[in-house]
Amino acid sequence: FCYHEDLPVDANCRACLVEDASTKQVSTSCTLPVSSGLTLLSEQSSRVKRLRKINMELLLAGHQEHCPRCCAQLDCATAEQMRKYGVSGERFKRDGQAVSALHQLGNAVEFDPQICIACNKCVEACEEMGIGYLALSGKGYKTRIDYIKDAQIACIYCGQCTAHCPVAAIREQSHLSDVEKVLKDKTKVVIVQTAPAVRASIGEEFNMPHGENLMAKLSTAYRLLGFDKVFDVNMGADITTIVEAQELVDRIRNNGILPMFTSCCPGWVKYVEFYHPELIENLTTSRSPQIHSGLAYKSWWAEKNGLEAKDIVVVSTMPCTAKKDEAANQSLNLDGLKGVDYVLTTRELVSLIKKNNIDLANLPASEIDKYAEHSGAAAIYGASGGVMESALRSAHDLITGGDLQQIEFTAVRGMQGIKKAQIRIEDLTLKVAVVSTMQSVQTILKELQEDPHAYDYIEVMSCSGGCVGGGGQPIPSTKALIKARAKDLYSLDSQKKVRKAHQNPVVLEYFNYLKGLPCNQRRQLLHRAYNKSNKNE
């Protein structure tokens, strides 16, 4: 259950007991090294079966304290059942009544203690992130996952716990049933928009090569599922790039607040709002890609097609659980209008496709719809360093008035937690940093305390490797897989004819539309504000 190649082997759940046929010693298979001539007994060993049964009884005894209505009858859901029904957050019911005592973390994640096996993987993932919100509590069979009782520590909804849980005890809050319902509502125009990382990872769940771009097959799958329009979060990423590049140049030219931090990662934004509200003014005011494109489709595109915004539903497919919380954030609404109505993680999208018996691997290719076109710069948003590289391509042309030919900024690419570079644009030298995980962020923030002018521009992503390593991605999500996913995005960028956001004709049409709007409305569509969190709440 609990093996993960990027995390230490703990042997906490003891669900994998085996017996050495020669020595008769019983061990956990996850800690037992392979050796020549080793012969192991599993189901063939009555001793192993007895010890496993005892271990299960102890787990159930612990469950009974957490969910007596369920475990008094000893009919907890099995891991296989939870994978089938629970990975997307669906609750089990008995006689029509929910039996799960779910704990919800914001609008992103939920924890069901009744099926937790206390393997500790979610705790380790949270610690590796640099948050430490989860912890093991209790001893013996009473050991369970709990939350740190400290008002100074908060979850940032990144979902790395969900990507490392082997039994779906901690998982994303599901939007599947809502999406299925709206797909049947013929009074609505239902738009689906896909984040770059999803197309590079979803094939893993269909036995396809790692890191293969499946957007063309996904477009066909979406239409089979009943979506009316297949658009793209990448179009919104191009909007974000232009707004962010303009703001960076403005801050540099007019002695604005530096360094400027990116803001498209909602986990990072949550971290700033809660842990470092003094940095709020350093965040770019640009909205995130999914909100940018969602609002664009509900305003500009709706007007082009004679539609009312209220009749349009936008569904984002995302590699991220925190994007669910972002979509639900009312402060991001425009006059009460949500940019995004529902968010499906990559895992939820897989569930929806499989539930409808769609064979993704063997689907014919089809194109995304018009007005979803994007640049190569948008495609690399899913990889750590991609947001910065995209913005630098546009910032260079804004500063110089020219057309940059060598557009790859390879110094900001890669899997390292911290990447630093100095970017030369004419007589200007930009000191930049690219950071992933909050643990790495803490190192950069210490540098800024010592030297506030150490950097001009900093990209931050909550998850290792960027969005390709997001908390909503297929399980397992390992560093090797994350690297393969990122490679696909850079390949997609290199194949695009348009590789700069400010040269995307669809986005240019949208910005021309914005010019005809009142200044205040235009600003609301492109920019956002932030909220300081109260640590004592």
Side-chain angles (χ1 to χ4, degrees):
F1 278 131
C2 60
Y3 174 77
H4 193 286
E5 65 184 63
D6 296 336
L7 296 175
V9 174
D10 298 319
N12 284 328
C13 71
R14 309 192 69 77
C16 62
L17 294 176
V18 291
E19 180 181 345
D20 189 317
S22 300
T23 66
K24 305 301 180 183
Q25 182 176 352
V26 174
S27 307
T28 50
S29 63
C30 61
T31 61
L32 184 63
V34 173
S35 60
S36 179
L38 179 67
T39 301
L40 298 176
L41 302 177
S42 179
E43 296 303 311
Q44 307 92 336
S45 168
S46 59
R47 187 178 174 208
V48 164
K49 292 171 73 172
R50 179 175 61 83
L51 290 173
R52 285 181 177 173
K53 182 175 183 291
I54 292 172
N55 184 65
M56 184 58 67
E57 288 171 347
L58 291 172
L59 282 172
L60 287 171
H63 284 172
Q64 192 165 352
E65 293 189 3
H66 287 268
C67 49
R69 284 188 296 164
C70 171
C71 294
Q73 301 178 44
L74 299 182
D75 62 349
C76 272
T78 64
E80 181 180 358
Q81 288 173 316
M82 286 310 297
R83 278 293 179 214
K84 184 176 180 182
Y85 298 106
V87 76
S88 62
E90 298 292 339
R91 300 187 184 192
F92 276 84
K93 294 185 177 181
R94 184 185 299 113
D95 299 326
Q97 298 297 315
V99 297
S100 299
L102 295 180
H103 302 280
Q104 295 187 327
L105 307 179
N107 293 289
V109 174
E110 63 187 22
F111 174 56
D112 188 347
Q114 74 173 18
I115 55 169
C116 174
I117 60 173
C119 68
N120 204 40
K121 293 305 161 187
C122 61
V123 175
E124 291 172 354
C126 193
E127 289 175 348
E128 192 170 89
M129 279 291 298
I131 298 299
Y133 181 67
L134 300 175
L136 280 175
S137 67
K139 294 182 179 180
Y141 74 86
K142 293 184 178 181
T143 302
R144 281 293 170 270
I145 301 301
D146 203 351
Y147 314 109
I148 297 294
K149 305 301 190 295
D150 185 344
Q152 305 303 306
I153 299 176
C155 175
I156 63 169
Y157 313 141
C158 69
Q160 285 303 313
C161 52
T162 73
H164 290 81
C165 177
V167 293
I170 193 162
R171 55 194 183 253
E172 63 268 68
Q173 292 181 27
S174 179
H175 288 177
L176 263 180
S177 59
D178 294 315
V179 171
E180 289 178 312
K181 182 178 179 180
V182 80
L183 284 173
K184 297 175 183 178
D185 187 347
K186 301 306 178 185
T187 67
K188 302 295 183 183
V189 175
V190 187
I191 292 170
V192 64
Q193 54 175 4
T194 308
V198 173
R199 71 202 72 197
S201 63
I202 195 168
E204 296 164 19
E205 292 279 11
F206 294 89
N207 299 315
M208 300 176 73
H210 298 316
E212 182 176 349
N213 175 26
L214 294 179
M215 192 62 233
K217 289 181 180 291
L218 270 177
S219 296
T220 303
Y222 286 140
R223 294 184 176 102
L224 290 174
L225 288 168
F227 288 99
D228 297 301
K229 289 293 178 181
V230 180
F231 288 153
D232 209 314
V233 171
N234 280 348
M235 194 280 279
D238 278 337
I239 299 172
T240 299
T241 295
I242 294 172
V243 176
E244 192 161 311
Q246 289 173 341
E247 185 174 358
L248 176 63
V249 172
D250 179 70
R251 291 191 186 208
I252 292 170
R253 286 175 173 170
N254 298 297
N255 297 317
I257 296 174
L258 294 173
M260 187 178 84
F261 287 97
T262 60
S263 67
C264 58
C265 172
W268 158 239
V269 170
K270 168 72 174 176
Y271 183 84
V272 171
E273 290 180 329
F274 184 85
Y275 291 98
H276 292 281
E278 74 278 4
L279 294 177
I280 283 178
E281 291 187 347
N282 292 81
L283 291 171
T284 172
T285 61
S286 174
R287 290 180 178 270
S288 75
Q290 73 156 350
I291 304 298
H292 264 144
S293 48
L295 289 174
Y297 293 134
K298 287 189 176 186
S299 57
W300 156 74
W301 182 81
E303 287 188 25
K304 284 177 66 69
N305 290 274
L307 297 171
E308 296 287 337
K310 64 180 179 61
D311 296 325
I312 297 174
V313 176
V314 175
V315 178
S316 295
T317 56
M318 286 283 174
C320 175
T321 55
K323 286 293 181 183
K324 289 176 177 283
D325 193 75
E326 179 183 69
N329 186 346
Q330 293 185 10
S331 70
L332 297 180
N333 294 355
L334 179 63
D335 297 328
L337 179 69
K338 296 178 67 173
V340 173
D341 298 282
Y342 304 108
V343 173
L344 299 180
T345 63
T346 310
R347 296 190 295 265
E348 285 178 288
L349 177 58
V350 169
S351 296
L352 185 61
I353 291 172
K354 288 184 175 181
K355 182 177 180 180
N356 285 272
N357 298 312
I358 295 173
D359 183 3
L360 184 68
N362 292 306
L363 287 182
S366 63
E367 296 295 322
I368 56 177
D369 285 310
K370 189 179 179 182
Y371 302 114
E373 185 55 62
H374 59 86
S375 72
I380 61 177
Y381 255 63
S384 174
V387 176
M388 172 167 289
E389 183 170 349
S390 300
L392 289 175
R393 293 179 187 181
S394 292
H396 178 280
D397 289 3
L398 282 172
I399 291 171
T400 66
D403 186 7
L404 180 67
Q405 298 301 307
Q406 184 58 44
I407 64 173
E408 288 88 1
F409 293 88
T410 56
V412 299
R413 297 182 179 183
M415 288 288 294
Q416 304 96 313
I418 299 175
K419 293 161 284 190
K420 304 177 183 179
Q422 292 191 359
I423 307 297
R424 188 77 177 174
I425 303 178
E426 291 188 338
D427 59 349
L428 175 67
T429 299
L430 285 179
K431 295 172 289 184
V432 304
V434 171
V435 190
S436 57
T437 79
M438 298 303 97
Q439 194 169 63
S440 297
V441 161
Q442 291 159 20
T443 300
I444 291 294
L445 295 184
K446 287 179 182 177
E447 289 184 34
L448 287 172
Q449 285 180 345
E450 296 173 3
D451 179 8
H453 305 292
Y455 303 100
D456 301 301
Y457 186 29
I458 302 175
E459 176 195 304
V460 181
M461 293 290 174
S462 295
C463 300
S464 179
C467 300
V468 283
Q473 289 284 63
I475 299 172
S477 188
T478 67
K479 292 178 181 176
L481 287 172
I482 292 168
K483 188 175 181 179
R485 297 165 186 167
K487 183 178 179 181
D488 175 70
L489 299 183
Y490 287 115
S491 175
L492 179 58
D493 167 41
S494 66
Q495 296 167 18
K496 296 289 289 187
K497 292 182 179 180
V498 176
R499 299 184 64 190
K500 298 177 184 177
H502 59 280
Q503 294 175 349
N504 178 352
V506 171
V507 171
L508 290 177
E509 182 180 332
Y510 175 58
F511 273 85
N512 283 331
Y513 161 81
L514 293 176
K515 290 177 182 178
L517 299 180
C519 181
N520 183 56
Q521 189 176 351
R522 182 167 64 248
R523 178 168 182 79
Q524 286 181 328
L525 279 166
L526 297 178
H527 299 274
R528 60 162 298 177
Y530 299 96
N531 302 302
K532 293 183 180 180
S533 298
N534 184 353
K535 289 188 178 182
N536 296 317
E537 288 181 350

